[in-house]
Amino acid sequence: MDQSNRISTRGLMRLLHGGRAASLQLIQSDSDDDSDSAWDGRLGDRYNPPVDQHPDTRDIDYSEIKEKILLETANLGPKADYSITRLLRQRQLGLCRNSSFSHGECSRVASHFLPNNFTCTDSYVQKAFCGIYSQDGNIFMSACQDQYIRLYDTRNGKFKNFKTIKARDVGWSVLDVAFTPDGACLLYSSWSDYIHICNVFGDVENHTALDLNPEERRFCVFSITVSSDGREILGGANDGCLYVFDREQNSRTLKIDSHEDDVNAVAFADVSSQILFSGGDDALCKVWDRRTLREDSPQPVGILSGHRDGITFIDSKGDARYLISNSKDQTIKLWDIRKFSPKEGLDASRMAVIQQNWDYRWQQVPKRALKKHKLPGDTSLMTYRGHGVLHTLIRCRFSPSFTTGQQYVYSGCSTGKVVIYDVLTGKIVKKLSNHEACVRDVSWHPYEEKIVSSSWDGHVRLWEYRQAEYYEDDLAAVNCKGMEFASVK
């Protein structure tokens, strides 16, 4: 089939599902479009995402990840008093190992001080699409629809713009960005045949276009990531393919026909960069082994199915075991790659996608799309509900290991919020609300309790913990109660 005339699988499925000629919906790409139309990311204010009040934890309760998170947050063992005052008293009495808090105890303390207030804002004229911290947390990078990439110095409590780069060859908007592992260069993608790379530091900008040599006439890389050694760049595109570009050879080394529709998300499983994850509009997550990938016979190691609609983002826990996926079916799912889905799971997801006849970019979520029961063959460990996925490819991520023990997953939301879930209970522990349009990207500082949200209202907000304000009357009441308690003793 001529690739230039390729019709997305979902577009074809809708053609077949519509039946009558008047109901035909032919859609070239179901992901981030390259036109604004009449929508601006504000449908969310009329949509209240349903919250799962009683998440099903049966699978995760007996999983390895539960034990791992409990260990990393010092919650493993008999139920005890985990209050901060008790921990401080233990340390004062020398009962803590090495006379200091363990890493898990630090994570437990930090859970009481989750970001709850925005302390800094930068504003753009157009939509903010991407925003991520560098691996060391010293730089924050933001990409906007105005075609500018802004770099912020985030050292020592700062959030100061120190460099603004005009992106090149941009179609509609910059759609994804990434840092090289050493933080010396940044990469960005758009509706273009190229992924671009540019230096972060220095007075002179050196832009290099990395040609992926696609066959599509309208080509877009929706998601990019870089291997831990900085040599290979992995991208997922609207032609259903994965692309691998080798920086040393300065050429595309692999093009893998991976999904039946747009590939919206890619990720490396861990620092070895040998296991790859991909997610597409066919509602499937696929696992690939870089060492056995062949263009002539592209076979995934396994497939994870259970979503009812396209996948918008994937984030790896970084241990080559677990990943999360955000989806247009309004859920996040947690997966263990040692539990692949059977054929009935693939068939069930494919049928669910066929039955979706609404467009998440500008339509409200129909009630029939909010089914809670699991599809046959769904091998996910946990499903998180309570955020909206409309308008664009909204991202979700694991919280950092250093400060939280990765006990949370958090996501942007079409209602203009940042939603934070407890990994093990599935319940929402925090909502950060102050945007007027959908929050497309979210990034948690790797070593500090700070979150940055990037929204289509043109604002980038830095969220930190802020203690509730006390008034003199409140303090007087507390002092009186303290005196009464002392007299009783």
Side-chain angles (χ1 to χ4, degrees), residues 40-42 120-130 142-146 150 152 416 434-440 453-461:
D40 58 3
R42 299 174 192 271
C120 182
T121 298
D122 203 357
S123 301
Y124 313 141
V125 176
Q126 298 189 49
K127 303 168 185 173
F129 264 72
C130 309
S142 175
C144 179
Q145 196 177 19
D146 63 8
R150 295 168 175 85
Y152 297 82
N434 200 272
H435 287 287
E436 295 179 357
C438 74
V439 174
R440 186 180 189 270
S453 54
S454 302
S455 172
W456 275 16
D457 63 5
H459 297 300
V460 171
R461 300 202 191 281

Side-chain angles (χ1 to χ4, degrees), residues 3-4 169 190 192-196 209-221 233 235 237-239 241-246 250-256 295:
Q3 288 295 315
S4 63
D169 192 25
S190 181
S192 166
D193 291 357
Y194 304 89
I195 292 173
H196 288 77
L210 312 179
D211 190 0
L212 297 181
N213 192 26
E215 298 177 15
E216 290 274 324
R217 278 185 285 183
R218 293 181 68 255
F219 180 76
C220 178
V221 176
I233 300 166
N238 68 322
D239 59 358
C241 294
L242 296 177
Y243 288 82
V244 177
F245 189 96
D246 191 301
N250 194 32
S251 65
R252 187 193 84 191
T253 53
L254 277 177
K255 176 185 176 182
I256 301 298
E295 286 194 13

